[in-house]
């Protein structure tokens, strides 16, 4: 079996142990004589799995009983609409915009209710004192800007309810969930396959969006039905369950964080010590531990960099089409060993072409 080192931004690498379990269990899941893809979501076996997955997320983050963990479809994009729909009873949202995804969320929210800007900055996260939330009901931010490689390393203190897009750093570090009203994350980066979005919501915020809200856009619908009002993404939830168990076995979010520090340091050192051959212009303190973006001083070498990396089994290092350049995503399932290999390759490439 040939496996490459996969630095894709999402969908992205899954732990090999998880893939092996899926492979083993596919034909006969939990003694049912059928795969998880072929059984009713109302079966005892699946009901147990969806419940357990919620419990595992609660356990990994240490979430208290004030919160519900919901499983939703529609990706991060649907949450850009569901957040303002469900929170507009608090008043308008104040949006901290510092990259592609927070900008999109602000644009979508503006279609639903009157959204305001809390701060708008580039190549960094806003300073806490820059966040303007007067008159707002909730403060929205994106903890890790996947395209731009910018990550918050603090939780904004605010009188407002906090709403956060954690799509690309979910379960990658300890988080004090009690500081938040709503957190959401698409599973396809740190936590499983595409098709599943996890929403963690404080119970007192449920059921306030009004009768006119479409059923599937109301968080309360999911909270009341074990996220099974309609047919949930069964396979994605099953895989997320396996990934959650894998994270727990590795040592939990603390261990994921320790590895992220190690992996990101390997790549940022390769950039910073390249004598300008590579550069990253995100403010140093705000660099992402998940998505390491960088450019080559000579952009004409980009294609050769990508092709040469591929020859060494280092895949998917091309940056997002909107910003160009390079990006290595080093989510939970990406090994320190694979990241070291990429860092070594970068150093060699710079010497050979510098
Ligand atoms: N938020 C962030 C931080 C993301 O990285 C992405 C996707 N890359 C999204 C939202 C949108 O997610 P989806 O494609 O699942 O709608």
């Amino acid at each position: 079996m040939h496996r490459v080192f996969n630095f894709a931004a999402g969908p992205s690498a899954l732990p090999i142990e998880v893939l092996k379990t899926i492979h083993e269990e596919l034909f006969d899941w939990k003694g049912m004589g059928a795969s998880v893809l072929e059984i009713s979501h109302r079966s005892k076996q699946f009901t147990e799995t969806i419940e357990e997955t919620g419990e595992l997320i609660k356990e990994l983050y240490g979430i208290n009983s004030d919160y519900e963990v919901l499983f939703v479809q529609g990706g991060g994009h649907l949450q850009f609409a569901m957040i303002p729909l469900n929170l507009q009873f608090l008043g308008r949202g104040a949006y901290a915009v510092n990259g592609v995804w927070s900008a999109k969320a602000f644009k979508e929210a503006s279609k639903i209710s009157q959204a305001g800007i809390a701060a708008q900055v580039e190549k960094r996260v806003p300073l806490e004192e820059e966040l303007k939330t007067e008159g707002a009901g909730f403060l929205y931010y994106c903890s890790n800007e996947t395209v731009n490689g910018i990550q918050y390393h603090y939780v904004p203190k605010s009188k407002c309810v906090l709403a956060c897009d954690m799509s690309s750093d979910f379960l990658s570090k300890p988080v004090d969930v009690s500081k938040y009203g709503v957190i959401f994350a698409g599973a396809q980066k740190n936590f499983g396959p595409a098709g599943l979005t996890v929403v963690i919501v404080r119970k007192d915020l449920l059921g306030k969006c009004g009768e006119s809200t479409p059923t599937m856009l109301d968080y309360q619908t999911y909270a009341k039905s074990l996220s099974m009002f309609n047919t949930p993404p069964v396979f994605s939830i099953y895989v997320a369950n396996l990934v959650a168990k894998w994270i727990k076995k590795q040592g939990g979010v603390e261990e994921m964080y320790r590895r992220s520090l190690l992996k990101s340091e390997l790549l940022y050192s390769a950039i910073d010590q390249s004598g300008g051959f590579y550069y990253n212009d995100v403010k140093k303190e705000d660099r992402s531990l998940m998505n390491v973006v960088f450019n080559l001083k000579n952009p004409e070498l980009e294609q050769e960099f990508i092709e040469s990396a591929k020859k060494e089994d280092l895949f998917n290092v091309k940056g997002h089409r909107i910003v160009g350049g390079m990006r290595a995503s080093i989510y939970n399932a990406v090994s320190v060993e694979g990241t070291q290999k990429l860092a070594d390759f970068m150093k060699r490439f710079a010497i050979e072409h510098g």
Side-chain angles (χ1 to χ4, degrees), residues 80 95-107 117 119-126 140-152 165 282 322-323:
F80 297 163
Y95 280 70
V97 175
N98 72 326
V100 167
W101 296 110
S102 48
K104 285 198 182 202
F106 170 67
K107 199 170 162 204
I117 293 282
Q120 189 151 23
V121 296
E122 280 181 20
K123 314 260 184 214
R124 65 180 179 90
V125 303
Y140 178 103
Y141 75 106
C142 174
S143 55
N144 184 65
E145 282 286 359
T146 323
V147 172
N148 312 80
I150 309 168
Q151 188 173 23
Y152 280 73
D165 174 359
V282 174
I322 301 177
V323 292

Side-chain angles (χ1 to χ4, degrees), residues 79-346:
Q79 292 313 306
F80 297 163
M82 281 179 81
I83 293 262
L85 274 170
N86 283 268
L87 298 188
Q88 62 187 346
F89 77 93
L90 295 165
R92 68 171 172 81
Y95 280 70
V97 175
N98 72 326
V100 167
W101 296 110
S102 48
K104 285 198 182 202
F106 170 67
K107 199 170 162 204
E108 191 70 5
S110 307
K111 292 183 180 179
I112 291 160
S113 57
Q114 232 196 345
I117 293 282
Q120 189 151 23
V121 296
E122 280 181 20
K123 314 260 184 214
R124 65 180 179 90
V125 303
L127 300 172
E128 195 151 20
E129 56 269 29
E130 287 177 313
L131 295 168
K132 302 279 176 280
T133 57
E134 288 85 6
F138 65 95
L139 171 62
Y140 178 103
Y141 75 106
C142 174
S143 55
N144 184 65
E145 282 286 359
T146 323
V147 172
N148 312 80
I150 309 168
Q151 188 173 23
Y152 280 73
H153 298 297
Y154 75 94
V155 180
K157 273 189 225 76
S158 168
K159 285 192 201 97
C160 291
V161 166
L162 265 192
C164 185
D165 174 359
M166 289 192 191
S167 289
S168 50
D169 60 2
F170 193 61
L171 294 181
S172 70
K173 60 176 183 180
V175 169
D176 181 356
V177 171
S178 71
K179 291 183 172 162
Y180 294 86
V182 187
I183 290 169
F184 72 88
Q188 68 268 27
K189 295 159 197 306
N190 271 311
F191 191 51
L196 168 67
T197 310
V198 176
V199 177
I200 303 170
V201 57
R202 215 172 62 210
K203 286 176 182 166
D204 64 293
L205 300 170
L206 292 168
K208 308 262 173 65
C209 57
E211 288 291 302
S212 61
T213 305
T215 311
M216 294 310 289
L217 300 182
D218 182 349
Y219 289 140
Q220 178 84 314
T221 304
Y222 298 80
K224 276 187 168 169
S225 63
L226 194 63
S227 300
M228 293 207 280
F229 184 85
N230 75 328
T231 316
V234 174
F235 186 71
S236 298
I237 291 169
Y238 158 69
V239 179
N241 179 282
L242 298 178
V243 176
K245 285 179 183 154
W246 177 84
I247 294 173
K248 189 175 158 183
K249 201 168 154 201
Q250 301 301 304
V253 287
E254 290 78 9
E255 175 62 14
M256 295 300 111
Y257 184 54
R258 193 190 67 79
R259 291 182 195 176
S260 296
L261 288 170
L262 217 63
K263 288 183 283 183
S264 55
E265 179 54 29
L266 286 171
L267 298 183
Y268 287 123
S269 295
I271 295 165
D272 295 341
Q273 292 166 14
S274 69
F277 186 86
Y278 306 108
Y279 67 94
N280 163 300
D281 53 11
V282 174
K283 190 176 160 195
K284 269 199 176 153
E285 306 87 278
D286 300 339
R287 284 171 162 182
S288 171
L289 305 186
M290 296 280 106
N291 311 96
V292 177
V293 297
F294 57 98
N295 287 80
L296 276 72
K297 191 172 72 185
N298 178 2
E300 284 172 11
L301 287 173
E302 279 183 1
Q303 204 46 41
E304 193 180 336
F305 179 89
I306 293 164
E307 292 306 322
S308 306
K310 248 188 189 167
K311 285 191 191 127
E312 301 203 15
D313 275 347
L314 302 162
F315 273 56
N316 297 313
V317 292
K318 195 174 188 307
H320 193 280
R321 64 198 139 71
I322 301 177
V323 292
M326 302 296 137
R327 170 176 56 174
S329 297
I330 42 176
Y331 300 127
N332 287 343
V334 175
S335 64
V336 176
E337 177 209 358
T339 312
Q340 178 73 62
K341 212 167 165 330
L342 176 59
D344 292 345
F345 164 77
M346 286 169 68

